[in-house]
Amino acid sequence: MKPIHWVVLLVIVLLLFGAKRLPDLAKSVGQSMKIFKKEIKELQEDDAPVSAAPVAPVAPVVVPVVVPEAVAHPVDTSKPATAASESTNPPKA
C-alpha cells in the first residue's frame, strides 16, 4: 500500500470511531492479539508428540465371501444344440 492509502484509511477510522475511542480500540485490539497468541502457543504445546506405550499388533479381519448362485436355470452343455431344439415351434406329429 502506498502512504496515501494509509492516510486515507486513518482518516476514515477517525471519522467512524472518533478521537476519543481510538485509544480504547487500540487497547482492545492489543489485548485480543495477546490472548490469541497465548491460545496458539497452548495449542502448539498440546500437539507436541507424546511417547506412547507400544501397541499390540491387530489381527487382520476376515470377511466371509458370499458367492451367488451361478444361474437360476443351468444350461445342459453335455448335448450339442440342434436347429430343431432351438426352434420355438413345437414338433409336428
Side-chain angles (χ1 to χ4, degrees):
M1 287 179 72
K2 296 181 180 179
I4 190 70
H5 292 125
W6 287 106
V7 172
V8 171
L9 184 64
L10 182 62
V11 169
I12 292 173
V13 169
L14 279 172
L15 290 174
L16 287 175
F17 296 104
K20 293 181 182 179
R21 287 190 172 173
L22 284 181
D24 294 335
L25 182 65
K27 183 179 178 181
S28 298
V29 170
Q31 287 176 346
S32 298
M33 289 300 296
K34 184 177 179 181
I35 293 170
F36 179 74
K37 288 179 182 179
K38 179 183 171 189
E39 293 296 326
I40 293 295
K41 185 177 179 181
E42 287 178 3
L43 283 175
Q44 288 174 346
E45 289 173 358
D46 289 346
D47 290 341
V50 179
S51 61
V55 179
V58 179
V61 177
V62 178
V63 178
V65 177
V66 178
V67 179
E69 293 182 29
V71 179
H73 301 287
V75 177
D76 187 11
T77 57
S78 62
K79 297 180 188 175
T82 61
S85 66
E86 292 177 359
S87 172
T88 58
N89 297 332
K92 295 181 182 178

